[in-house]
Amino acid sequence: MFDLRLTTASPAQTADLAADLARLLSPGDVVLLQGPIGAGKTHLARSLIRVLQGPDMAEDIPSPTFTLVQTYDTPRGEVWHADLYRLTDLTEVLELGLDEAFETAICLVEWPDRLGDAAPEDALTITLAPAGETERAIAVSGSADWAARMADLAARWAAP
Ligand SMILES: Nc1ncnc2c1ncn2[C@@H]1O[C@H](COP(=O)(O)OP(=O)(O)OP(=O)(O)O)[C@@H](O)[C@H]1O
Ligand SMILES: [Mg+2]
């Protein structure tokens, strides 16, 4: 198991964490973003997508609150950003192809509890919790495979 706990002091620091994470991701990776409304899930996803896009293609990154899914073509492959808060029926996103995207794209999913059993078992889970006006307690967890891949990131971000 991989379980990293840290606190970021600002949106900028959460963006730094997202950037470090972005460098480790490749197609087939799924990142589940948990936490209450306003915790910073979209901020983290947006920061991550910006790094995956690279400096040459900085397009708008709207929140997928109303569209359920936004997709991006990036130099690192396709990226899916989903917000399932409003999902009432799982078939809505399965019809969009989300389960295939789990295998072929980098997927970032807000409100993944809506997926139930359809959430991939090998996903990385990031849980954000407000810990002050601009502080966020962040837990990053996943399988032992993630521990190996995230060793450098964990060393950089582990609380002293
Ligand atoms: N340390 C921090 N990390 C991330 N965001 C922070 C931090 N401190 C303050 N914020 C602010 O918190 C807000 C988080 O909003 P965001 O839309 O990302 O939340 P969300 O978790 O996606 O909510 P929702 O469930 O409504 O989609 C942003 O305005 C962001 O600037
Ligand atoms: Mg959001």
Side-chain angles (χ1 to χ4, degrees):
M1 273 296 288
F2 174 67
D3 189 11
L4 170 70
R5 309 281 168 130
L6 59 100
T7 302
T8 61
S10 64
Q13 208 180 7
T14 299
D16 285 346
L17 174 69
D20 277 2
L21 188 59
R23 294 183 193 99
L24 297 172
L25 296 180
S26 53
D29 287 335
V30 178
V31 179
L32 308 178
L33 295 164
Q34 301 189 138
I37 288 171
K41 302 179 294 296
T42 300
H43 175 71
L44 198 157
R46 195 175 265 145
S47 307
L48 211 157
I49 292 164
R50 217 160 258 146
V51 171
L52 292 173
Q53 285 180 327
D56 300 336
M57 48 188 302
E59 60 176 301
D60 241 30
I61 304 171
S63 171
T65 308
F66 296 101
T67 51
L68 283 181
V69 167
Q70 299 281 345
T71 62
Y72 301 89
D73 278 317
T74 80
R76 297 270 286 284
E78 203 174 5
V79 177
W80 283 51
H81 179 194
D83 180 343
L84 307 182
Y85 186 72
R86 286 160 190 280
L87 191 72
T88 48
D89 183 351
L90 194 55
T91 57
E92 284 178 71
V93 276
L94 298 181
E95 274 165 15
L96 291 173
L98 186 63
D99 51 343
E100 280 149 44
F102 286 158
E103 309 295 328
T104 59
I106 295 173
C107 294
L108 313 171
V109 184
E110 300 184 43
W111 297 100
D113 56 306
R114 309 293 196 261
L115 288 171
D117 290 345
E121 272 177 25
D122 55 357
L124 185 74
T125 299
I126 302 183
T127 306
L128 300 100
E133 204 169 310
T134 65
E135 289 84 16
R136 297 293 186 268
I138 301 179
V140 187
S141 64
S143 65
D145 282 353
W146 283 105
R149 292 173 63 186
M150 307 264 288
D152 287 351
L153 183 150
R156 264 197 308 282
W157 286 92

